[in-house]
Amino acid sequence: MKGLMNQASRLRGLLSIILLCLSFNIGAQTQKEAEAALNLLLKQLQADKVAEQALHREREQQFIREKDKQQARLAALQKAEREAEALYTTLNAKVKANSEAVSALQAQIQARTHHLKDLYSVAKQVSQDAKSDISASLTASQYPNAVSALDSLMDKSKLPEINDLQALWLVLLQDIQATGEVVTYTAAVYGSNGEKMEKKVSRVGPFTATTDNAYLGYSPQDQRLNVLMRQPELAPALIDKNHRDKIDRIIDPTRGTVFTQLNREPTLEERVEQGGYVGVVIISLGGLGLIYTLIRLIHLSLVQSQVK
């Protein structure tokens, strides 16, 4: 704005001078008119100077006002900084005090639980072993959630409580009782084709489980009862007899290991199928060799009888 006013004043002065020069050159103006023009030019320059000074004063006042505002903002920010530093100092002192209190409490807990550490470690180890054994046992088919109460006891970041120890005692007691049971209950049974069936299952402790027509095996990974693809010898006769007197059972003292191995052992037909074409050729050559051997034995026997 200041630049525009200066240009305008210069332009007016230049035009006035040009007009004055023209008046002198042409000679059409009188001396009095020339003096009036000069006076008018002087007044115009003075008015422009006054306006320019007023503009400068206004800008100076505006700068002073802005400076006061900036100083007020600076003072407010400095005050906020001091308050934040005071709050930080207070909170830091509280954190240190809390840390010292936590350390003191941990030392107190350490002193109080010093003699119980062995008990806790033994309880955790027993709960681990019990969960592993019970989850893989045949009794888990009847009590699938028996070991869920041991999860809190197996948490290493938590100290066992009296309720956790009581839960371990109850789980072990239930497992002992289930180990000596001969019971019948309804459970999901999966056939050899993967079909799920709800059937009555007769369980003899952790050793044997049967339905009305088959012996069962337990899969800990899937947590389900499966019909054994290969039944033990005399199993149909024993199952039929059990319908009458409930006396005889085939017992697997290894808790399912022998039944599992029996279930995995292939028959002669399956072994031949596993051998493929190579197995057929080997069996054929063996049969031909046996036939040839028999023929030679018969021939030698006839020759020997003739010699005699």
Side-chain angles (χ1 to χ4, degrees), residues 72 77-78 116 128 147 166 168 195 200 220 308:
L77 291 175
Q78 289 176 346
L116 298 177
Q128 248 181 356
V147 294
Q166 288 178 351
L168 174 60
E195 181 183 0
K200 288 186 177 181
K308 288 182 180 181

Side-chain angles (χ1 to χ4, degrees), residues 142-302:
Q142 185 178 0
Y143 307 108
N145 300 321
V147 294
S148 59
L150 301 179
D151 293 336
S152 60
L153 188 61
M154 296 176 63
D155 187 2
K156 296 182 179 179
S157 61
K158 177 185 174 184
L159 290 175
E161 299 179 357
I162 186 65
N163 295 332
D164 299 327
L165 298 178
Q166 288 178 351
L168 174 60
W169 175 70
L170 290 175
V171 168
L172 294 177
L173 187 62
Q174 183 183 10
D175 182 57
I176 293 172
Q177 181 181 358
T179 302
E181 287 179 339
V182 179
V183 295
T184 300
Y185 57 95
T186 302
V189 178
Y190 291 82
S192 57
N193 57 354
E195 181 183 0
K196 181 179 179 181
M197 301 167 288
E198 292 291 334
K199 288 193 173 185
K200 288 186 177 181
V201 177
S202 297
R203 177 176 60 83
V204 180
F207 306 108
T208 303
T210 61
T211 60
D212 54 354
N213 58 356
Y215 276 75
L216 305 176
Y218 182 71
S219 174
Q221 294 80 12
D222 302 327
Q223 294 184 348
R224 67 185 194 182
L225 292 168
N226 301 312
V227 175
L228 295 176
M229 297 180 62
R230 184 167 296 103
Q231 296 292 314
E233 295 181 3
L234 304 178
L238 289 177
I239 292 175
D240 183 65
K241 184 178 180 181
N242 288 336
H243 286 299
R244 298 192 300 271
D245 48 29
K246 301 288 183 181
I247 294 177
D248 293 334
R249 287 286 204 294
I250 295 178
I251 298 297
D252 182 3
T254 61
R255 299 194 177 192
T257 303
V258 173
F259 280 172
T260 302
Q261 294 297 329
L262 177 65
N263 198 41
R264 292 177 180 175
E265 184 179 356
T267 61
L268 179 60
E269 183 180 355
E270 290 174 347
R271 289 186 183 277
V272 172
E273 291 179 356
Q274 292 173 358
Y277 295 108
V278 177
V280 172
V281 171
I282 293 174
I283 292 173
S284 301
L285 291 176
L288 292 175
L290 182 60
I291 293 172
Y292 179 75
T293 302
L294 291 175
I295 293 173
R296 295 303 299 171
L297 286 175
I298 293 171
H299 176 71
L300 291 176
S301 298
L302 294 175

Side-chain angles (χ1 to χ4, degrees), residues 86-149:
L87 180 61
Y88 171 76
T89 303
T90 303
L91 294 177
N92 193 20
K94 288 183 179 180
V95 169
K96 289 182 179 179
N98 291 334
S99 299
E100 293 175 357
V102 169
S103 299
L105 292 174
Q106 287 179 346
Q108 187 177 0
I109 292 174
Q110 188 79 9
R112 289 183 178 181
T113 60
H114 176 71
H115 300 290
L116 298 177
K117 281 186 176 180
D118 294 337
L119 174 62
Y120 290 158
S121 61
V122 170
K124 289 181 181 292
Q125 185 63 41
V126 170
S127 62
Q128 248 181 356
D129 296 340
K131 185 173 183 179
S132 177
D133 294 340
I134 296 173
S135 298
S137 176
L138 189 60
T139 59
S141 63
Q142 185 178 0
Y143 307 108
N145 300 321
V147 294
S148 59

